[in-house]
Structure formats: structure tokens, C-alpha cells
Amino acid sequence: MVYETDSDVPATFPVIDISLLSSEDELQKLSSILSSCGCFQAIGHGIPVEFLDKVREVAQQFFALPDEEKQKCLRAPNEAEGYGDDLVVSDDQLKDCCKRLILGVFPEHQRRMNLWPEQPTDFGETLHEYALKIRSVINGLSKAMARSLKLEENSFLNQFGDCPAMGARLNFYPPCPRPEVFGAKAHLDRSGVAVLLQDKEVEGLQVLVDGTWHMVPVIPHALVVNLGGLMQVMTNGMFKSPLHRVLSNATKFRMSVTVFDEPEEEREIGPVDHLVNHTRPRLYRSIRNFAAFNYECFQKGKNSLEELRIPLIPEFAG
Ligand code: OGA
Ligand code: NI
């Protein structure tokens, strides 16, 4: 895949004040951005910037620990959670220049506590508190998204079940002198919604909109909201889950913290009934365990959403 790169475009990345989503105008803005771009920067989320800085701080403190301390959280081969870099799946694979700490946060009883850092000592409580706050941001957004499409506000939340999962991915991008290596290769997120806390100084995240990569500018008090593939499936393609990637930086370290929601295990997720009709036929098959499917497609260089697409029957084609 070759895409035009256009990083010189002025920083016009969309920003939404999510405290205003009770107003019809702001809801319309939300649905128009999600239908075209699938990603925006959220302000008005109510999380104090001091607390966002605290989250950044514990993440950096963990990453700054000596290797033998970080190894205590090491991801076992073929496991999803823990600390490490890309799984090696083929000989010619070009690994991303990134170390990740991946942790399941909710449901709490499924936490793999042996993989949670003991240092810094307030890591666990900080991540717990942050994930609670992000859960409430995501739930509020999910309801607003449903309302913006004239759906009952729990239409998306209900599909995820009473006890949905939340995960955290802490990304550490060391300086990398090889520009052909990515911090993270282009991918689609596996979630319903992913909320990303960016580095305060160093940019690097790019989102593909209409065939052009757009750099997401740094706004220290904002949260980047990015729709995962499941939201594109549930909205029957009305909202987009964008491909995104992270450029490597030759001289600077960058970090980010992503918190994302996922359905209860074994839940089958498909387009919401009200978004399937004669003029808008069903676009996607329903799917269980999209996370695994999405990862498998990514490894094969395929787009998971294209793979889930139901071919148009001639009546609807053209
Ligand atoms: C992710 C991701 C981007 C970033 O965690 O899925 O896309 O800027 N992160 O680190
Ligand atoms: Ni991502």
C-alpha cells in the first residue's frame, strides 16, 4: 500500500469539547468527524492535567527502571500481556521500534497481578484510577455516539455486555536512527474506542484520512479518541476506524498510554439493527474475539474490516 504523505498540511486535526455533547450542534460535529476521520482530540473531559501528568510520570518511571527490574513484567512468548516488543512471527519481519507494557485492567478479578510493575510503587493505583476515569469518558462518548445516530443511547454499550473489558497499552518509543523503521506500523485498533494520552512534547502519531497521513498535534491536556474496528462494525460503517501509525524519531524518546474497551469474552458483535435497512444493507459479518482476528489479519498484511465485509448483492451494487 502506498499513501501520499502530507505532513506539511497545517495542524487542523479536529478537537471536540466533550463536555458540550448534550448540545445538538456538538453532537452533529461529533458524528460528522467520526463519519469522515474516526479520530479527534477530546478536551473538556474533566480529568485534571496534573493527573494526566501523573500517569505520564509513572509510565516514564517504569520505563526508566533497569532492565532486570522491567524483566519481572516480561511478556511470555505467545502471551498478549506483559512487557516486551513485537512478537516474532516471520524471519523477514521488520520490528517496530517500540517497547510496550500491555495490561488487562478490567474486569479486576482477571488482572494478571504478577505482570503489574511493583515500581514505581504508585503505578498500580495510578493506572487503576486512570482507567476508571477513561471508562467513564468512553461510556459517555459511546452514549453520545449512539444519540448522534438517533439510536437508543445504550445501543453500543449493551453489545459489549454487563462486564466489558478494558486494557492498557503503555508505548515507549526509543530514538531510532532508521527512518524506514516505524514506532508502530499502520494498524487498526481492536477496541470499540481507544483513548490515547500522548507524549507532552514529541509528536509522531499519524492518522490516515482520505488517503493522506495527518500528524496528530501535541495538545498536553487533550486525549486522543480513536475508534477501533468494532465501532465501525457496530455502526454498519457509518463511523470510521482509521488506520494509524507512529513515525520513529531519530533523536527523541516518545511515550504514550492507550486505554481501550473490549466486549465481554465470547460476545458476538455486529451492526446495530437500526443501522441496517434497505438503503443501507448490512456491511459486516458479526464477529467474536475481534482482537485475535484483527491481529491475525494485521500479521498477514490484511485489513480486518475488509475481511469482515459482506459482498454487495447485485441489487445494491452500483
Ligand atoms: C496504540 C497506538 C499510538 C501512539 O496504542 O494502538 O496506536 O501514539 N498508539 O502511541
Ligand atoms: Ni493503535
Side-chain angles (χ1 to χ4, degrees):
M1 281 181 283
V2 177
Y3 299 106
E4 200 185 321
T5 319
D6 201 354
S7 309
D8 300 332
V9 167
T12 53
F13 207 80
V15 177
I16 296 186
D17 183 338
I18 61 173
S19 70
L20 303 178
L21 286 174
S22 50
S23 98
E24 199 52 43
D25 283 356
E26 210 66 15
L27 267 190
Q28 281 321 309
K29 182 173 162 192
L30 177 76
S31 82
S32 123
I33 288 168
L34 294 180
S35 314
S36 52
C37 169
C39 184
F40 63 90
Q41 306 230 45
I43 56 170
H45 47 66
I47 306 178
V49 68
E50 294 77 24
F51 186 66
L52 298 180
D53 285 344
K54 176 75 194 168
V55 175
R56 292 183 176 104
E57 183 186 307
V58 294
Q60 288 209 20
Q61 283 170 338
F62 168 76
F63 188 66
L65 291 173
D67 275 340
E68 65 266 24
E69 186 64 33
K70 286 183 287 197
Q71 304 292 334
K72 292 184 185 166
C73 307
L74 205 60
R75 180 172 56 69
N78 298 316
E79 291 267 355
E81 288 185 45
Y83 176 72
D85 49 19
D86 285 352
L87 282 176
V88 177
V89 292
S90 71
D91 294 341
D92 55 357
Q93 174 185 354
L94 196 54
K95 278 192 181 188
D96 288 344
C97 187
C98 180
K99 301 271 188 198
R100 302 184 180 94
L101 174 62
I102 300 173
L103 298 170
V105 183
F106 298 122
E108 248 178 284
H109 65 269
Q110 283 177 10
R111 276 186 200 173
R112 308 264 308 268
M113 286 318 295
N114 59 322
L115 298 174
W116 283 54
E118 286 166 14
Q119 305 235 28
T121 50
D122 50 357
F123 180 95
E125 66 192 77
T126 307
L127 183 59
H128 174 82
E129 199 185 327
Y130 180 61
L132 278 177
K133 290 180 193 294
I134 297 299
R135 182 161 71 181
S136 114
V137 168
I138 289 181
N139 288 351
L141 278 171
S142 179
K143 290 180 184 184
M145 285 188 240
R147 289 200 310 274
S148 80
L149 293 171
K150 313 279 179 253
L151 299 171
E152 195 283 311
E153 69 173 6
N154 289 311
S155 299
F156 304 129
L157 291 176
N158 285 346
Q159 284 219 35
F160 274 30
D162 295 331
C163 198
M166 292 204 84
R169 198 162 40 241
L170 288 78
N171 303 301
F172 307 100
Y173 304 99
C176 170
R178 294 171 60 189
E180 76 280 16
V181 174
F182 284 97
K185 285 187 266 298
H187 65 278
L188 293 172
D189 282 351
R190 59 196 252 181
S191 48
V193 180
V195 174
L196 184 114
L197 178 64
Q198 284 212 89
D199 195 286
K200 260 182 114 158
E201 284 157 20
V202 185
E203 57 181 27
L205 172 62
Q206 292 189 323
V207 176
L208 189 68
V209 187
D210 293 333
T212 303
W213 290 105
H214 291 263
M215 189 69 84
V216 182
V218 168
I219 308 179
H221 60 282
L223 295 167
V224 179
V225 174
N226 186 45
L227 296 193
L230 283 175
M231 200 48 89
Q232 184 162 331
V233 169
M234 287 193 289
T235 61
N236 200 27
M238 300 278 283
F239 289 166
K240 301 290 179 288
S241 167
L243 269 176
H244 54 288
R245 67 183 187 186
V246 177
L247 300 185
S248 59
N249 189 304
T251 55
K252 291 181 191 147
F253 166 85
R254 176 175 181 272
M255 56 147 284
S256 67
V257 178
T258 308
V259 170
F260 53 94
D261 65 346
E262 288 193 284
E264 260 174 11
E265 243 170 307
E266 298 307 319
R267 280 252 166 186
E268 194 172 72
I269 305 295
V272 170
D273 285 345
H274 280 88
L275 298 177
V276 178
N277 53 45
H278 225 67
T279 51
R280 200 174 172 86
R282 185 184 172 102
L283 282 185
Y284 299 106
R285 289 188 277 129
S286 297
I287 173 111
R288 278 199 185 85
N289 200 354
F290 178 71
F293 179 75
N294 190 46
Y295 186 66
E296 205 183 296
C297 291
F298 172 75
Q299 292 299 355
K300 292 181 187 157
K302 293 184 173 165
N303 179 310
S304 55
L305 289 167
E306 290 303 319
E307 297 298 304
L308 283 181
R309 227 184 150 95
I310 301 171
L312 285 181
I313 52 172
E315 185 190 341
F316 295 116

